[in-house]
Structure formats: structure tokens, C-alpha cells
């Protein structure tokens, strides 16, 4: 068998995928693993090769099942911190495992809990907590701290296509979070309480980081830190965004180039030192000794670089190549790649779901498969071309071939996660890789060794790397500013991703030069089958593209989605024949969390939506406005509807300037505005009344709520009302307005506040369904229990985004269906 590691790797991956979705008894898995291991050893002894290989794959599957569920088994222990969630304010002591700055005013610590102080008694505690702290506090790995906080379970926004942050942290043994508002809530008890070796490494990493920050300005210092120490989180968002737009984000990661430079440096150093001793050269094989000596610098650098997924993959592959040189035996690069993946997934099974793991192995696999097939193609240069020019052209061609192979291998993954692809990636890489990935990287890597002996010399190397990095950043920023530098795509499904890779395989097999084909090649044995299948797959791709382009234009029904945005509101309305409207966008006040980018845009892309015909802002509060800013920036928005209310804060000013800069048509609506007809759907505006003051005048918080746009939407026999954050005062005015308020479905005012939702209003609406958009365990305690009772007494079926996630409503003009994304066992969702 040529590549035997591939099959155990597949077994391990299948086990991880199953275990991530199905909880299995740990005792059952351990018994099963021991039984399989016993039979496997027996089969090996009896030399039953096929049975042994099959049992090995089964064993790896069980290992994957157990490994991915290991953090969940730990939560079953009664001392785990998860059992303190929702138990009120407690005092916790623990050791800082990692730190991260998320904004100038706040940071995050991951703390390994050691004990609790509760009811004047001390009890042991286990597990990790994600702790949000004031940003000016300086903590580091190994600090033993005490803090006071309430503990909450990690929670996600539950929408189709959204990033499952809860599962992401759970896989890393983080199940709860806490919050410290001020310095008084957290104290440092002692330092250096972490693991001895890791503590020394972290201390050295902090020393190197301080040197970088002293000798380089921003953003050069953050980029150098990412390329040498593996920390990309500090890179400014706008810089990271531009690297992503140009397809050069991989340069910011520690890759095989970095590890290769360390290995080459160690090899050359030992080799040249040995040449000074005639005795050593005669007694030992200098090449083998230098190769063996280069193993240690590679391992040390991997530890210093943080042991991320790309670091481990590159280190394992480099070590395998060095080992092959030592034993003078050629190794299959595919087997080395599979072995690296196998080791990583055994150590950290959650890496399978990590984008860095997927991109790293996708790129390397594509390079290994594509480049050898096209590397020797003649370039067609004239015979009189100078040798140096031929060499240069050949190297440029190989560089572009490698870049193209990596791009094609990772394209579906990038589109799936980021919904875009760069059109300038080859140009950007042709410039940035030599400049930033090589010339700037040499002094940046060299400073790590020099820093051990001379901080001054290390500072000079950092300054040199910073100069070259600055040039690279300027070029990347310019390329990213080009209007055609990136293309936006909706999120592909798994079938489309598989179809793309299948088409790519067939295309490459068809394009392989005749002199590259051999009798074992698939394309040589089945040339006609390859061509026919290629045409069929191309037809499927074209058909899928046409279907996505026209499906909404012929959709007859009205579809509405209450998106789960926590304590806020965001509603997508999809009118018949492909007209899309977004009502509000959720968000948080004074927060670095971008609701539009992190929640709403992924949902829209998952729904295959790139165009928003109308954006509606019911009123200018952050929990309705913030997410819309990203949507207007990144989607094709045609019109904006709003009321006359304005706000005097930075968020609203950003919104107003964005609308002006993009020259988007704005329509100011009130109760006197004429009704609108969109694809046969009738829209009537019930509130607010026309204002008697200027639109730019600041209004109070309550007045802004009461200025919310209230719309009634009618589709055939069905109708619904969106109410924004109006109070009971406005509800009373609506009752006396003489308008027909009866509706089949009501978007509950002000997230279920007790200051809204009067009994008279509820009975006047007489809705069969009520939708409440609220955050889980929010500080306002919305929806109020009394409000819930009022709707239940009126016979209304209640759906809540804090319990049901996204809520889907469909009307065909005759019947109305309501379907929640999640159905809670304690409150089964009802449908009609």
C-alpha cells in the first residue's frame, strides 16, 4: 500500500465528526477501544494484514470519538466551573492561561480555575473561564489572580450560516464566561504560577514582543510579531482586512518557509563550524551531523512561535524531511502530509474545524498535486534568450504556479468562510512574498537569535524588517483599494464545494501534458471518460449558477426572518420576485463586536443574498442601527427608509455619512406617508406622526423609542405588524387613530418590555403569533414575565429569538407558517 497513513487519518476524521455531533459514553468508548486494541494485537501477531489494517482504522475512529468529546466529559465533574453558571456572584481564583486585547477599553483572559470562595468557604474548582476585564490591566501567562464575577454559559447567535461561537469555545474546554467591570473586581495574588517550561517560553516571547514594539511602529510591529511569534490577533482590523482582500493573509502566518529558514540556518551554522576542525570532518559525516543538529532549532522555534496549527504542520513536515535525509531514504510527500495531519488531530482534534488547519493542508495538498504536473512545461522562449533570463522566467513561472495551485486548493474554503475571493492575489503575492515573506522575514527571524546576546543589534534587525514591512503594507493597501480587487460570493453548500474540487481534478487531468502522463495515470487510462465527465460537471456548475441567479425572481411567497441578534432587532423581509428588505440590524452600544459582520452578513450569505433593495431603520438606537452599517458598506443597497428621528452620537454620524457618501436614496416616512406596493404586498405606515421639530435636533432616549417606524404588511389574507420600540403611550395613540390594527402576527414592541405591550393593545391586535426579539439573560430582563402572561391569556403563540434562535415566517397569501430554527424541549414550538 503506497500511502497507508491516509486511511487511519480518514478513520480519525470520521470519528471526530461523529463525536462532535453525537454524545457517547466515555466508559463505552474506553471498553470498545481496549477490545479493538486486543484484537488488533492478536491480528498483528497472527499476521492477518487486512484484518489488522481494518482494526487500526476502527481504533482511530474510536480515538477520534473520545478525543473530541474529552472536554465534555470533564464538565461532568461536580467541581467544574460550569456548575456555577447562573448561581449569582462568586469569587474565583485561578491561573491566567492566555490574554487577548479586544479593544482599547477591554481585554480577555482565559483563566484556569483552581478554587472558589463562596459562602465564606473555599472549595476546589476545575475548568476554564473566559473573563472580560478592563483593558488597562496587565496580566500574563502564569499570573495567579482572584476576581469577583457572575458566571454565565457561553452562548451563540442561532441563525443558519452563523459562526457557532459556543461550540468553538466548548471544543477548547471553555464553557463559561465572566465580566469584571473595574480594577476593584480583580487582584493579582502572585506571578509565575504556570508550568515551568511553558512559563519560561512565555517570558521569552514577551521579551521578544517588547523588543519588536520598541523598535517598530504600528502596523509593522504587529505584522512582525505575527510572522515571528505567531500572534495575529494584534494586527489592526483594517490591515488584516486588506491582506485578506488581496489573498496574502498566508504571509502573516508562520509557514514552512519560516521553519525551513530555521532548519537551513541551523544546518549551515553547524556545517561551517565543523569545517574548521579537520578531525571532526574526518571522523563524522558533516552533512548528517549538520542535518541532525538542525532538528533542535526547529523544535525550539516551534515552541517559541506558539505551536499553532500551521506551525505544527510545518514543523512536522520539516522534521520528517530532515529524518528522511538522515536515513537517506526518499519519503512520499503525501504520506508526510497525512502523518502531520494525523498527529495534529490526535493532539488537538478540534483543529479539524479550524480554518487555519483546513487552509494549511488544502494549500499544501494542492501544491503537491498540481505543481509537479506542470512544472516542466516549456515556456516557449526564443533560443537566443540569455541563460540568466531563462532562469528568472522559469522561477517566476514556478512561483506563479505554486501561488495558483494554493489559491485553487483553498478557494472554496475561503469563499465558504469569508464569502469573497481576491482577483489580485497572483499580483499581490508576486510582490509581497519576495518583499515581506523573504526579504523582511530574514532580519525578522534573525533578531530572535541576536536578542539572546545583544538587544541593540536585535533592534537594528527589527528596524530593517520594519522598513521592508512598511513598503509591503503600502503596496497591499493600494491593491486592496482597487474597486475590482475582490469579488463577493454567497456561501456555497457542501455539494457545490465537492463539485468544484471534482471539476478542478478533471480539468487538471485533462490539461496534463502528454509527456507527463504514464500508464498508471488516471487520465491516461480513461481519457474519454475524463472529458465527458468534465463537460457534465461544467454543465452542473453553470446550471447551479443560473438557478441561484433566477430562483428568487420566480419565488411567489412572502418570507420573513426574525434574525437572532441578541438584545436588539433585525428582520429580513423577502418579497415575492426577489425584492429584499432589511429592517434594523441589531448591535451593541460602544462595542467592538460588529453585529453586521459577525451575525447578519453570514446569515444573508447563507441565504444566498448579496443585494438588499431597501434598508429600514425604525429608530436610531445602537441595538437597531449598528449592524446596518456593515450591511450598507458590503451589500448592494438601493434605498434607505427611516423616520425623522436622529441621534447625536458617533454611531449615527457614521451612518449618516455613509449614506451620503454612497449616494443612497433616502425616504423619510411617517403615519401620513402613502402606502407602498412591493411585488403585490401592501405596506402601510402607522407611526410616527410628522414631527414639529427639525430632523437634526437631538431627542431623548424615550422619544427616540416612541419615534419608531410602525409598519403593517399585508399579503393576501395574511397581515403582520412591526412595531420597533414604541411604548404603551404610543400604543394608546394607535388605538385611538382609527387604523385597522388587527393582524395575524405581531413583532412585539420593545423586546417585550413591561413599559409596552398593554393589554388593550394586545387584544386590539388579536394576533395568532407573537415574535419577541431579545437577548438571552439580558440585563433588562426582557421579555417581562407579565408581558408573556398577557399574550398567553390572549391565546397568542409566542416565539422568542433568545430561545428559538432565528424565526422563519412564510405566507403564500392564504396560510401563514411560523417555523423556529431551534425548538426548546420545555416550550415546543407550535405551527399553523
Amino acid at each position: 500500500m503506497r500511502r497507508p497513513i491516509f486511511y487511519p487519518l480518514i478513520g480519525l476524521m470520521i470519528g471526530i465528526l461523529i463525536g462532535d455531533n453525537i454524545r457517547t459514553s466515555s466508559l463505552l468508548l474506553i471498553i470498545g477501544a481496549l477490545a479493538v486494541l486486543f484484537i488488533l494485537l492478536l491480528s498483528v501477531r497472527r499476521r492477518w494484514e487486512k484484518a489488522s489494517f481494518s482494526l487500526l482504522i476502527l481504533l482511530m475512529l474510536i480515538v477520534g470519538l473520545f478525543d473530541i468529546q474529552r472536554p465534555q466529559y470533564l464538565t461532568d465533574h461536580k467541581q467544574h466551573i460550569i456548575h456555577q453558571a447562573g448561581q449569582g456572584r462568586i469569587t474565583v481564583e485561578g491561573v491566567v492561561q492566555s490574554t487577548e486585547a479586544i479593544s482599547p477599553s477591554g481585554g480577555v483572559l482565559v483563566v484556569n480555575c483552581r478554587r472558589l470562595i463562596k459562602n465564606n468557604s473555599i472549595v476546589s474548582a476545575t475548568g476554564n473561564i473566559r473573563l472580560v476585564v478592563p483593558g488597562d490591566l496587565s496580566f500574563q501567562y502564569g499570573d495567579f489572580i482572584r476576581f469577583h464575577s457572575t458566571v454565565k454559559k457561553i452562548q451563540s447567535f442561532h441563525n443558519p450560516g452563523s459562526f457557532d461561537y459556543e461550540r468553538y469555545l466548548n471544543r477548547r474546554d471553555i464553557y463559561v464566561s465572566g465580566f469584571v467591570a473595574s480594577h476593584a473586581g480583580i487582584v493579582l495574588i502572585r506571578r509565575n504560577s504556570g508550568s515551568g517550561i511553558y512559563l519560561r517560553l512565555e517570558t521569552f516571547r514577551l521579551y521578544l514582543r517588547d523588543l519588536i514594539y520598541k523598535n517598530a511602529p504600528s502596523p509593522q510591529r504587529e505584522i512582525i510579531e505575527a510572522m515571528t511569534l505567531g500572534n495575529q490577533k494584534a494586527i489592526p482590523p483594517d490591515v488584516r482586512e486588506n491582506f485578506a482582500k488581496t489573498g496574502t493573509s498566508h504571509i502573516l502566518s508562520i509557514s514552512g518557509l519560516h521553519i525551513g529558514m530555521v532548519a537551513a540556518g541551523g544546518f549551515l551554522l553547524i556545517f561551517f563550524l565543523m569545517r574548521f576542525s579537520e578531525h571532526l570532518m574526518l571522523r563524522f559525516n558533516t552533512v548528517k551531523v549538520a542535518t541532525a543538529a538542525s532538528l533542535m532549532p526547529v523544535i525550539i522555534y516551534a515552541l517559541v512561535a506558539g505551536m499553532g496549527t500551521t506551525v505544527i504542520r510545518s514543523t512536522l513536515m520539516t522534521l520528517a524531511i530532515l529524518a528522511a535525509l538522515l536515513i537517506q531514504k526518499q519519503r512520499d510527500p503525501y504520506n508526510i502530509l497525512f502523518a502531520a495531519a494525523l498527529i495534529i488531530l490526535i493532539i488537538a482534534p478540534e483543529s479539524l474545524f479550524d480554518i487555519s488547519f483546513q487552509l494549511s493542508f488544502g494549500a499544501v495538498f494542492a501544491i503537491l498535486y498540481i505543481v509537479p504536473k506542470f512544472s516542466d512545461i516549456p515556456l516557449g522562449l526564443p533560443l537566443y534568450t540569455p541563460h540568466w533570463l531563462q532562469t528568472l522566467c522559469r522561477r517566476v513561472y514556478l512561483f506563479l504556479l505554486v501561488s495558483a495551485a494554493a489559491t485553487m486548493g483553498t478557494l472554496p474554503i475561503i469563499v465558504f468562510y469569508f464569502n469573497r475571493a481576491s482577483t489580485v492575489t497572483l499580483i499581490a503575492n508576486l510582490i509581497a512574498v519576495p518583499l515581506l515573506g523573504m526579504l523582511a522575514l530574514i532580519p525578522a527571524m534573525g533578531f530572535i537569535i541576536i536578542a539572546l546576546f545583544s538587544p541593540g543589534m536585535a533592534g537594528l534587525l527589527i528596524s530593517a524588517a520594519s522598513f521592508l514591512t512598511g513598503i509591503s503594507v503600502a503596496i497591499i493597501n493600494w491593491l486592496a483599494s482597487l474597486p475590482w480587487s475582490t469579488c463577493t460570493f454567497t456561501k456555497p453548500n457542501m455539494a457545490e464545494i465537492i463539485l468544484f474540487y471534482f471539476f478542478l481534478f478533471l480539468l487538471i487531468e485533462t490539461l496534463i501534458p502528454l509527456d507527463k502522463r504514464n500508464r498508471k495515470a488516471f487520465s491516461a487510462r480513461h481519457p474519454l471518460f475524463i472529458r465527458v465527465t468534465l463537460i457534465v460537471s461544467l454543465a452542473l456548475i453553470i446550471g447551479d449558477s443560473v438557478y441561484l441567479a433566477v430562483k428568487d425572481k420566480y419565488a411567489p411567497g412572502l418570507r420573513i426572518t426574525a434574525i437572532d441578534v441578541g438584545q436588539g432587532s433585525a428582520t429580513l423581509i423577502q418579497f415575492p420576485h426577489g425584492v429584499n428588505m432589511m429592517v434594523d440590524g441589531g448591535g451593541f452600544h460602544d462595542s467592538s463586536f460588529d453585529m453586521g459582520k459577525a451575525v447578519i452578513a453570514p446569515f444573508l450569505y447563507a441565504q444566498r443574498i448579496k443585494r438588499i433593495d431597501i434598508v429600514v431603520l425604525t429608530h436610531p438606537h445602537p441595538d437597531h442601527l449598528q449592524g446596518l452599517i456593515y450591511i450598507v458598506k458590503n451589500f448592494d443597497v438601493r434605498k434607505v427608509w427611516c423616520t425623522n428621528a436622529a441621534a447625536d452620537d458617533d454611531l449615527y454620524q457614521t451612518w449618516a455619512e455613509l449614506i451620503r457618501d454612497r449616494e443612497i436614496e433616502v425616504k423619510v416616512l411617517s403615519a401620513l406617508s402613502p402606502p407602498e406596493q412591493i411585488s403585490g404586498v401592501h405596506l402601510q405606515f402607522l407611526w410616527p406622526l410628522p414631527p414639529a421639530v427639525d430632523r437634526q435636533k437631538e431627542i431623548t432616549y424615550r422619544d427616540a423609542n416612541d419615534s419608531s417606524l410602525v409598519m403593517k404588511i399585508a399579503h393576501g389574507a395574511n397581515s403582520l405588524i412591526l412595531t420597533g420600540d414604541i411604548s404603551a403611550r404610543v400604543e394608546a395613540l394607535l388605538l385611538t387613530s382609527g387604523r385597522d390594527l388587527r393582524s395575524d402576527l405581531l413583532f412585539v414592541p420593545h423586546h417585550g418590555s413591561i413599559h409596552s405591550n398593554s393589554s388593550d393593545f394586545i387584544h386590539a391586535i388579536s394576533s395568532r403569533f407573537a415574535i419577541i426579539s431579545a437577548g438571552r439573560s439580558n440585563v433588562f430582563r426582557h421579555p417581562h414575565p407579565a408581558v408573556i402572561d398577557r399574550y398567553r391569556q390572549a391565546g397568542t403563540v409566542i416565539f422568542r429569538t433568545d430561545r428559538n434562535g432565528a424565526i422563519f415566517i412564510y405566507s403564500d397569501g392564504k396560510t401563514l407558517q411560523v417555523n423556529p430554527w431551534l425548538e426548546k424541549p420545555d416550550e415546543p414550538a407550535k405551527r399553523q
Side-chain angles (χ1 to χ4, degrees), residues 532-557:
V532 172
T533 311
L534 176 67
I535 295 172
V536 172
S537 61
L538 178 61
L540 289 174
I541 291 174
I542 295 173
D544 181 63
S545 302
V546 172
Y547 168 75
L548 292 176
V550 303
K551 69 180 182 69
D552 287 336
K553 294 182 180 180
Y554 295 96

Side-chain angles (χ1 to χ4, degrees), residues 704-759:
N705 280 337
D706 282 347
S707 69
S708 294
L709 180 66
V710 179
M711 292 190 298
K712 182 175 182 179
I713 300 176
H715 181 229
N718 301 319
S719 61
L720 59 100
I721 294 181
L722 293 93
T723 57
D725 283 356
I726 60 172
S727 67
R729 181 182 70 87
V730 174
E731 293 174 359
L733 293 173
L734 286 171
L735 292 176
T736 60
S737 66
R739 301 290 187 99
D740 181 12
L741 300 179
R742 289 174 301 174
S743 185
D744 297 288
L745 185 144
L746 173 68
F747 279 79
V748 170
H750 205 175
H751 320 290
S753 169
I754 190 64
H755 302 294
S756 306
N757 303 283
S758 63
S759 297

Side-chain angles (χ1 to χ4, degrees), residues 658-675:
L658 179 63
I659 300 302
R660 286 196 299 269
D661 292 344
R662 295 188 174 258
E663 299 180 348
I664 298 175
E665 178 186 339
V666 177
K667 179 179 286 189
V668 179
L669 299 170
S670 71
L672 299 184
S673 298

Side-chain angles (χ1 to χ4, degrees), residues 569-823:
S569 179
T571 306
L572 172 68
I573 304 176
Q574 296 171 272
F575 294 93
H577 311 306
V579 179
N580 299 317
M581 173 186 286
M582 173 61 66
V583 181
D584 293 333
F588 300 104
H589 176 68
D590 193 24
S591 172
S592 62
F593 183 82
D594 191 333
M595 186 66 70
K597 180 179 182 179
V599 178
I600 299 177
F603 168 76
L604 293 176
Y605 287 132
Q607 300 298 306
R608 320 307 290 262
I609 293 173
K610 294 198 316 182
R611 188 192 74 253
I612 302 294
D613 298 277
I614 305 169
V615 164
V616 179
L617 176 63
T618 59
H619 64 291
H621 279 165
D623 61 332
H624 293 251
L625 168 60
Q626 188 209 45
L628 291 180
I629 293 176
Y630 184 88
I631 300 304
V632 172
K633 283 182 179 179
N634 294 276
F635 285 74
D636 181 12
V637 175
R638 309 292 176 85
K639 299 178 182 178
V640 168
W641 289 1
C642 59
T643 67
N644 211 60
D648 189 24
D649 56 31
D650 292 339
L651 186 66
Y652 184 81
Q653 297 306 316
T654 301
W655 162 259
E657 290 174 5
L658 179 63
I659 300 302
R660 286 196 299 269
D661 292 344
R662 295 188 174 258
E663 299 180 348
I664 298 175
E665 178 186 339
V666 177
K667 179 179 286 189
V668 179
L669 299 170
S670 71
L672 299 184
S673 298
E676 293 276 349
Q677 290 281 342
I678 301 177
S679 301
V681 178
H682 184 77
L683 285 78
Q684 187 179 8
F685 308 106
L686 308 178
W687 191 263
L689 294 174
V693 296
D694 184 74
R695 183 168 184 258
Q696 299 302 318
K697 185 177 179 180
E698 184 180 1
I699 57 178
T700 66
Y701 188 89
R702 179 181 175 182
D703 288 341
N705 280 337
D706 282 347
S707 69
S708 294
L709 180 66
V710 179
M711 292 190 298
K712 182 175 182 179
I713 300 176
H715 181 229
N718 301 319
S719 61
L720 59 100
I721 294 181
L722 293 93
T723 57
D725 283 356
I726 60 172
S727 67
R729 181 182 70 87
V730 174
E731 293 174 359
L733 293 173
L734 286 171
L735 292 176
T736 60
S737 66
R739 301 290 187 99
D740 181 12
L741 300 179
R742 289 174 301 174
S743 185
D744 297 288
L745 185 144
L746 173 68
F747 279 79
V748 170
H750 205 175
H751 320 290
S753 169
I754 190 64
H755 302 294
S756 306
N757 303 283
S758 63
S759 297
D760 291 341
F761 182 74
I762 293 172
H763 286 286
I765 297 289
S766 299
S767 61
R768 292 181 288 158
F769 305 104
I771 308 294
I772 302 176
S773 182
R776 287 166 288 281
S777 304
N778 64 83
V779 296
F780 306 102
R781 298 183 179 180
H782 293 161
H784 197 279
V787 171
I788 298 295
D789 289 339
R790 291 172 191 172
Y791 281 100
R792 285 177 176 167
Q793 290 173 8
T796 304
V797 178
I798 301 170
F799 295 90
R800 300 166 49 171
T801 59
D802 60 336
R803 295 190 176 185
N804 301 118
I807 301 164
F808 303 93
I809 304 145
Y810 178 77
S811 167
D812 60 3
K814 299 176 182 179
T815 60
L816 190 69
Q817 299 176 1
V818 183
N819 296 284
W821 180 244
L822 303 176
E823 293 189 15

Side-chain angles (χ1 to χ4, degrees), residues 89 131-134 137 147-149 178-186:
R89 195 172 182 83
L131 186 67
V132 180
V133 298
L137 293 179
F147 58 90
H148 308 281
S149 175
F179 173 73
V180 176
S182 66
H183 296 204
I186 183 170

Side-chain angles (χ1 to χ4, degrees), residues 155-160 162 164 166 564 776 804-806 821-822:
Q155 295 176 330
S156 287
F157 300 99
H158 296 289
N159 304 294
S162 64
D164 195 337
E166 179 180 355
D564 177 15
R776 287 166 288 281
N804 301 118
W821 180 244
L822 303 176

